[in-house]
Amino acid sequence: MRDPRFDILFQPVRIGPVVARNRFYQAPHCNGMGNLRPQAHAAMRGIKAEGGWAVVNTEHCSVHPSGDLMPEVLQMLWDDGDIPPLALMVEAVHEHGSLAGVQLAYPAYYNANRMTRDVPLGPMDRPVSGHHPVQVRAMDKSDIKALLGWWKAAAQRARKAGFDILNVDGNFSTIAFQFISPRNQRTDEYGGSLKNRVRLLKGLIEATREGGGDACAVSVRLIIDELFGPEGLRAADEGIEAISLLAELPDLWDLVVGTWADDSPTSRFASENDHEPFMTGIKGVTTKPVVGVGRFTSPDTMAGLIRRGVLDMIGAARPSIADPFLPKKIEEGRYEDIRECIGCNICVSSHFAMTNLRCTQNPTMGEEWRRGWHPERISTRSSDATVLVVGGGPAGLECARALGQRGYQVTLAERRSRLGGRVTLEGELPGLREWLRVRDWRVTQLDKLTNVGVYLESDLGVAEILEFDADEVVLATGSQWRADGVGRAAFKPLALSPSVPVFTPDDIMGGNIPSGQIIVYDDDHYYMGAVIAEKLALAGSNVTLVTPAADVSSFTINTLENIRTAKRLYERGVRMVTHMALTGTHEGQALFVDARTGATEHREADALVLVTARLPRNELFAALTAQLDEGRAGRFRRVSRIGDCEAPAAIYAAVYSGHRFAQEFETSDPTLRRERINLAI
C-alpha cells in the first residue's frame, strides 16, 4: 500500500488543453534508435507509459534539413514522410493512457549538416562546435522568417502524428537558446537586451501554437543557468527574468541547467536533486506548471519538491531508463523494488555509439522490440531443470535473479563472504558508492525468491560442482587485471624490472596500497585509471597518470564526465600525461614512447600501477568442459560462461550477459528482430 505522503505525486496536472494523469514526466532523452529504428523507439517509449509516466517525450526532433545532426540518430519532421515513424510512438504511448510529447528543435553551432550539406545557420558567423572545418552563417531577417515557417510546418506534422504536447526546445545546442545567451552579439532587434534576445523564442512558441492548433499543448524546454560564469546566462541575473518575459505564453516550463554534461552529471560528481538551487524563484514568475530534473530516485525527494512548491512535475530521463516502472512502483508502495539509477551515464554513451539504448541497471532497455524483453515480466520456465550459478558478481546475480523469476530452481554460490563481486569492490573507490545499487537491488529481489538458494564462502572446484549434481552450470567467476602490461598499446608482455614493483587495480581494491612516487598507467581508458589515481593521491602518494590516449579517461567523453575527471585529478594533485605508451621499466624508472612521434621518455617511479587489460577467470570452465568431453560430468549437461568470465567488459555488459542467458535458457530460437529499409517506398 502506498504511503499517503506520496499521494501528491499522483494528482493530475493540467497542461493547457490536456491533462497528465500524474506528476511523472519522462523528459526528452536520446536513445540511439530514433528515426532509424522507429519500431524499437516506439516500443521503448510505450514501456515508459505502461510503467506510469504520465508524459512521455521524444528526443531532439529536427524541423528542417538545415538542422541536420547526422550521424547522430535522432528524430526529424522535415516532411510528411517523417510522420508515420513518430505516429508509431504516439500509438504506443496512448495505449497506456499517457500523453505523447515531441521535442521540436533546430540546432545551432552543433550541426555541421554533414548529410544534407546545407549551410548551418545561427545567431552569428562562427565555426561549428568541434573541429569540423565548417562555419555557421549568421541568420538575416529572411532566414528567421523562414525558420518560423519551418517550425510551424513541423508543428502541423506533429499534430498529424497525434502528439499531445509540442515542446519548443531551448536547450544548449538549439537556436532559441543560442539567441537568448548573452554570448549572442547581434546588434539588431534579436540581440542586445534580454527582451530582444528572447524575441526568437517568443516567435517559435507562437509558431508552435499556430501549427499545433487548439488541441495540442505547448511546452518550452529552456536552460535556466548556462553555468558559463559571467559570459553566460545565469539564473539569478537573466535566467528567471527570461521566463518572466514569456511567463504565460507556453503551457509548461521544462527547465534544465547548462550543457548535457551539466544537466546529466554522473554520480561520481553530483548527487540526486543537484539542480534545485537553480529552480528557486521560478514559481514566483509563472503560473504554468514547472518541470525540473535531477536524477530523481527517492519518492521522498520527489514529493518534497512538489510539496515545497519548487516543481509541479517530476522530470526524469535516466531514472526512467533504469526503471520504466518507477511511478507504478511508488503508486503501489513497492519502494524496495525500484531499480535506482546509478548515474553511470552508460545510457548516454549509446547515443554516441548510435545504437540501441543500454543501461547498467536495466538490461532490457533498448531490447523491448528487437528481443521482446520487458523490464518487469519474463517467460516462465519450460522444464524442471536445476541451475548452479558460480559467482555472485553482477552477471551471476542478474542471471540467478532472472532465472529465479522464471521459476527455475537455482543455486548461487559465491566464494567470498559477501555478494557483488567487482561491484562491491569498485563501490569502495572514490565516487562510485552509488554503483552498489547494482548489487543491492538484485540481492533484495533474490531474497524474495524461495526457489533461489544463495551460499556465501563457497569456493567450488570441479569435484564440488560434479557432486552438486545440477542440470546446468553457469560460471560467472569474473576476471582479473593483468600485471604484464598487455593492453591496447602492447600486444605482448613488457619487460618489467623488479626494481619497480607492479600493482594492479585488484591489488589496490584488496588493500595493497603502494606509497611514494607512483605512476598509474591507464590503457583501459574508462573510469578505473582515474579513480585508482585519485585513491592513491588521497592516501598521500605523489601520483602521475600516464596514458597512450589523447586524453585521460578518454571513453568518458561518451559518459559526459571527461572534463570533470580531469578537473578532479588536478584538484587531487595528480599530474596527467597523454600520448605516452609504456614500453617497460628499468632501475627505478618507467620507460615510455610517444605514441605519435616515437620519442622516448623515462620517469622515476617507486611503484607502477597497471590499468590495462583483464584476463577472464576461466580455468574452471576449461576443467569442466574437459569433464564433459570425456563423459565424466555426471548429471550436468552443459557448462556456460557469462559476464567477465567470458569476456571482460564494463558492468553494464556483465549484467546484460547474465540477463540474456536467463532469457534464452532452454529457448530454441531466441528473438532478434532487425528493422529493414523498405525499398518499395
Side-chain angles (χ1 to χ4, degrees):
M1 180 180 294
R2 181 174 76 235
D3 190 316
R5 291 179 300 147
F6 305 136
D7 289 349
I8 195 171
L9 296 172
F10 297 92
Q11 296 171 343
V13 178
R14 175 162 290 280
I15 307 171
V18 299
V19 177
R21 58 190 162 115
N22 60 42
R23 296 184 185 270
F24 290 95
Y25 183 97
Q26 183 248 275
H29 68 76
C30 298
N31 52 83
M33 293 176 275
N35 66 318
L36 290 186
R37 289 175 278 273
Q39 294 177 100
H41 175 257
M44 180 268 292
R45 300 293 187 193
I47 290 289
K48 304 281 194 76
E50 183 186 350
W53 298 90
V55 177
V56 179
N57 286 286
T58 69
E59 65 273 36
H60 175 114
C61 181
S62 170
V63 302
H64 189 262
S66 60
D68 160 35
L69 279 171
M70 287 292 283
E72 296 180 43
V73 181
L74 298 163
Q75 299 289 354
M76 56 184 64
L77 276 170
W78 294 353
D79 56 45
D80 286 358
D82 293 320
I83 294 174
L86 285 166
L88 281 177
M89 174 208 150
V90 173
E91 182 181 352
V93 170
H94 283 173
E95 181 182 348
H96 299 286
S98 297
L99 301 175
V102 59
Q103 186 181 33
L104 300 178
Y106 186 87
Y109 301 145
Y110 288 82
N111 61 309
N113 292 340
R114 291 172 174 86
M115 182 179 75
T116 65
R117 300 184 70 175
D118 284 357
V119 172
L121 303 176
M124 301 175 294
D125 293 299
R126 56 170 287 187
V128 297
S129 176
H131 300 148
H132 201 73
V134 170
Q135 282 211 181
V136 171
R137 174 172 67 75
M139 300 177 76
D140 59 26
K141 302 292 178 56
S142 65
D143 294 320
I144 292 174
K145 182 179 179 180
L147 173 64
L148 295 174
W150 302 334
W151 202 281
K152 179 180 176 180
Q156 291 171 332
R157 294 183 189 109
R159 182 182 63 189
K160 290 179 182 178
F163 283 102
D164 308 289
I165 302 174
L166 313 184
N167 178 261
V168 180
D169 190 9
N171 222 324
F172 71 98
S173 62
T174 60
I175 194 73
F177 187 77
Q178 295 298 334
F179 269 78
I180 291 173
S181 173
R183 286 182 278 172
N184 169 8
Q185 299 299 300
R186 292 177 72 101
T187 57
D188 61 3
E189 64 266 40
Y190 289 92
S193 69
L194 180 62
K195 185 176 181 180
N196 281 354
R197 300 195 321 266
V198 301
R199 190 184 304 273
L200 180 64
L201 176 56
K202 181 175 184 291
L204 294 173
I205 296 171
E206 293 169 345
T208 305
R209 185 79 70 187
E210 292 174 16
D214 295 337
C216 293
V218 176
S219 64
V220 172
R221 175 160 249 216
L222 187 66
I223 294 176
I224 187 67
D225 196 303
E226 211 172 340
L227 298 184
F228 205 79
E231 293 185 39
L233 188 79
R234 294 190 288 189
D237 296 335
E238 293 184 325
I240 295 178
E241 185 183 353
I243 295 173
S244 71
L245 291 173
L246 306 172
E248 306 303 304
L249 204 56
D251 299 309
L252 175 142
W253 289 98
D254 173 8
L255 302 176
V256 292
V257 175
T259 65
W260 195 3
D262 301 313
D263 188 51
S264 301
T266 62
S267 57
R268 283 175 64 190
F269 302 103
S271 60
E272 179 187 23
N273 193 29
D274 65 313
H275 292 171
E276 182 178 347
F278 298 100
M279 303 295 157
T280 304
I282 293 171
K283 290 294 296 173
V285 299
T286 179
T287 65
K288 299 303 174 77
V290 173
V291 176
V293 296
R295 197 167 53 82
F296 301 122
T297 59
S298 165
D300 288 298
T301 299
M302 300 177 202
L305 287 165
I306 303 298
R307 196 171 288 113
R308 289 185 285 111
V310 179
L311 300 175
D312 297 294
M313 298 191 79
I314 300 300
R318 293 173 293 173
S320 76
I321 294 167
D323 198 334
F325 276 67
L326 185 150
K328 189 169 287 293
K329 289 174 181 178
I330 297 175
E331 185 176 25
E332 297 173 353
R334 297 190 292 120
Y335 316 116
E336 77 282 358
D337 291 336
I338 295 173
R339 197 184 287 106
E340 294 178 299
C341 173
I342 70 170
C344 67
N345 279 7
I346 206 67
C347 54
V348 177
S349 74
S350 63
H351 168 73
F352 295 111
M354 293 166 280
T355 191
N356 287 41
L357 193 61
R358 55 211 56 198
C359 175
T360 300
Q361 277 283 56
N362 177 13
T364 70
M365 180 51 58
E367 307 295 342
E368 299 87 353
W369 180 82
R370 72 176 183 180
R371 293 193 186 276
W373 293 356
H374 190 281
E376 299 299 308
R377 297 190 296 272
I378 192 169
S379 63
T380 56
R381 61 178 180 159
S382 55
S383 77
D384 292 329
T386 59
V387 183
L388 171 63
V389 179
V390 181
L397 285 172
E398 177 61 20
C399 182
R401 185 207 65 79
L403 284 171
Q405 185 184 4
R406 290 189 64 186
Y408 286 100
Q409 194 69 38
V410 181
T411 300
L412 175 63
E414 166 56 44
R415 65 186 178 92
R416 295 188 177 92
S417 60
R418 53 183 180 171
L419 294 168
R422 61 178 288 194
V423 171
T424 295
L425 294 171
E426 293 181 22
E428 300 300 324
L429 293 172
L432 301 186
R433 192 71 184 171
E434 289 195 36
W435 291 26
L436 293 175
R437 292 174 173 181
V438 174
R439 175 197 67 192
D440 295 345
W441 182 81
R442 284 161 180 82
V443 170
T444 298
Q445 301 307 307
L446 285 171
D447 287 343
K448 297 182 178 185
L449 296 171
T450 58
N451 55 316
V452 179
V454 179
Y455 296 90
L456 300 176
E457 298 182 313
S458 298
D459 192 3
L460 304 185
V462 172
E464 291 83 4
I465 291 173
L466 293 177
E467 183 180 345
F468 192 85
D469 208 27
D471 294 309
E472 187 90 11
V473 177
V474 183
L475 300 180
T477 48
S479 64
Q480 62 189 29
W481 288 92
R482 297 188 70 132
D484 57 4
V486 171
R488 288 178 170 84
F491 298 99
K492 59 183 181 179
L494 302 178
L496 300 174
S497 167
S499 66
V500 181
V502 172
F503 296 78
T504 70
D506 291 324
D507 296 319
I508 308 302
M509 291 186 288
N512 188 7
I513 309 293
S515 60
Q517 190 159 300
I518 301 171
I519 290 176
V520 176
Y521 178 63
D522 182 13
D523 198 19
D524 175 61
H525 310 297
Y526 192 13
Y527 58 88
M528 184 59 74
V531 296
I532 291 292
E534 184 179 352
K535 181 177 179 66
L536 294 174
L538 289 170
S541 293
N542 187 342
V543 182
T544 300
L545 176 65
V546 182
T547 177
D551 208 343
V552 295
S553 301
S554 58
F555 179 78
T556 63
I557 293 171
N558 302 296
T559 56
L560 308 178
E561 54 190 335
N562 176 258
I563 292 176
R564 277 191 168 91
T565 295
K567 287 181 178 179
R568 176 69 59 81
L569 291 174
Y570 175 77
E571 292 166 358
R572 302 294 191 222
V574 176
R575 290 182 297 279
M576 293 166 274
V577 179
T578 62
H579 295 101
M580 300 303 292
L582 182 70
T583 58
T585 58
H586 181 66
E587 295 183 354
Q589 292 185 323
L591 315 178
F592 296 94
V593 60
D594 191 299
R596 302 157 298 179
T597 67
T600 59
E601 181 179 296
H602 299 176
R603 289 179 174 269
E604 292 186 3
D606 295 317
L608 174 67
V609 180
L610 292 174
V611 187
T612 54
R614 286 176 284 159
L615 285 170
R617 292 192 177 100
N618 54 20
E619 299 85 359
L620 193 54
F621 175 79
L624 289 171
T625 300
Q627 294 285 326
L628 278 169
D629 292 343
E630 296 167 10
R632 295 187 289 113
R635 178 178 169 183
F636 86 86
R637 60 198 182 197
R638 186 178 64 167
V639 57
S640 303
R641 292 174 290 182
I642 59 173
D644 288 351
C645 174
E646 180 178 19
I651 295 171
Y652 80 90
V655 173
Y656 174 83
S657 175
H659 189 83
R660 181 176 177 180
F661 180 91
Q663 285 271 10
E664 297 179 353
F665 181 58
E666 295 192 319
T667 301
S668 59
D669 187 20
T671 300
L672 178 59
R673 295 193 288 183
R674 293 181 294 145
E675 305 205 35
R676 293 177 168 88
I677 297 172
N678 186 353
L679 296 178
I681 295 177

